[in-house]
Amino acid sequence: QITLKESGPTLVKPTQTLTLTCTFSGFSLTTSGLGVGWIRHSPGKALEWLALIYWNDVQRYSPSLKTRLAITKDSSKNQVVLTMTNVDPLDTATYYCARRVWNYDYFDNWGQGTLVTVSS
Amino acid sequence: DIQLTQSPSFLSASVGDRVTITCRASQGISSSLAWYQQKPGKAPELLIYAASTLQSGVPSRFSGSGSGTEFTLTISSLQPEDSATYYCQQFHSFPLTFGGGTKVEI
């Protein structure tokens, strides 16, 4: 059974750095072709893809957020970490991590999501 | 970036109705399209990938078609549990993008 779960702060102040952790089970990020991505859902808006890391440590980022994001993995711990710097109230959203399927960039298993509010 | 435009943004239908949602891409994406269903407070769930392949476990009343720039998601006989928002996503090229969503009310 594949599961993913996001963890991190629920409230962050503007200009601070947000760190979210995705802990997963049922697959390994050492398996060729797999990956884990981050997607967010802001209130009243559509889903927005943020970043993706592959089994071979290649990283891809949303161009609009690239300068503020960093995605890393710890395959021994089955974790993927997303860091977002200089957060703004517009970054208030539910953040999801999801498994990228073998060799294609869509997502077949998602975490439950974690709501992050950016407010002073 | 490839823009995905979904229509309609909202639809209201009755149990048993046939429902079709359209997703148009701003440029050709071959069959590199997925559809997701999201219920309030829940994570999205994959329904269809490669434009027309049903994900394992998804009811057969869901189907997808299209290629290039125009795609459709069809629910052949709407059920109460299908009340949700539906999103398309292209994986032809980066950045990955999602459509604006279609909220289906029953």
Side-chain angles (χ1 to χ4, degrees):
Chain A
Q1 181 189 6
I2 294 169
T3 65
L4 304 97
K5 187 172 184 179
E6 307 84 354
S7 59
T10 57
L11 180 64
V12 184
K13 292 184 180 348
T15 75
Q16 288 186 337
T17 295
L18 169 65
T19 300
L20 296 171
T21 300
C22 176
T23 303
F24 56 87
S25 64
F27 67 98
S28 172
L29 257 185
T30 61
T31 301
S32 177
L34 294 184
V36 170
W38 286 92
I39 302 99
R40 71 181 179 182
H41 195 189
S42 304
K45 293 190 174 183
L47 298 168
E48 180 183 16
W49 170 73
L50 303 177
L52 180 56
I53 191 164
Y54 296 96
W55 80 100
N56 56 4
D57 217 29
V58 169
Q59 301 135 41
R60 301 299 299 257
Y61 295 99
S62 167
S64 63
L65 293 166
K66 184 176 183 177
T67 60
R68 299 172 51 210
L69 295 177
I71 188 169
T72 60
K73 65 179 177 67
D74 185 333
S75 299
S76 66
K77 293 183 179 179
N78 281 354
Q79 290 183 331
V80 170
V81 175
L82 181 73
T83 302
M84 177 183 288
T85 61
N86 193 26
V87 298
D88 179 270
L90 290 175
D91 296 313
T92 294
T94 297
Y95 287 76
Y96 297 98
C97 63
R99 188 183 83 149
R100 179 247 196 193
V101 303
W102 185 75
N103 276 356
Y104 294 96
D105 294 315
Y106 61 89
F107 306 99
D108 64 348
N109 286 271
W110 295 60
Q112 64 191 19
T114 186
L115 176 61
V116 178
T117 301
V118 180
S119 174
S120 55
Chain B
D1 298 7
I2 296 174
Q3 311 299 322
L4 297 179
T5 303
Q6 285 184 237
S7 61
S9 56
F10 174 85
L11 74 87
S12 181
S14 301
V15 172
D17 284 354
R18 182 182 181 88
V19 166
T20 298
I21 299 168
T22 297
C23 177
R24 289 188 174 87
S26 59
Q27 62 190 77
I29 59 171
S30 185
S31 296
S32 301
L33 190 93
W35 289 96
Y36 301 89
Q37 176 193 69
Q38 186 177 32
K39 296 182 179 180
K42 300 292 187 181
E45 291 188 2
L46 178 65
L47 295 176
I48 286 169
Y49 60 92
S52 60
T53 303
L54 200 65
Q55 171 72 350
S56 175
V58 173
S60 59
R61 63 180 180 274
F62 291 92
S63 64
S65 65
S67 67
T69 61
E70 187 151 339
F71 302 85
T72 59
L73 172 70
T74 299
I75 309 172
S76 61
S77 179
L78 199 63
Q79 299 300 303
E81 61 266 31
D82 300 335
S83 180
T85 301
Y86 294 82
Y87 294 94
C88 55
Q89 179 229 324
Q90 65 81 20
F91 52 95
H92 178 75
S93 63
F94 285 94
L96 306 179
T97 50
F98 290 85
T102 296
K103 185 174 182 178
V104 175
E105 178 185 273
I106 301 171

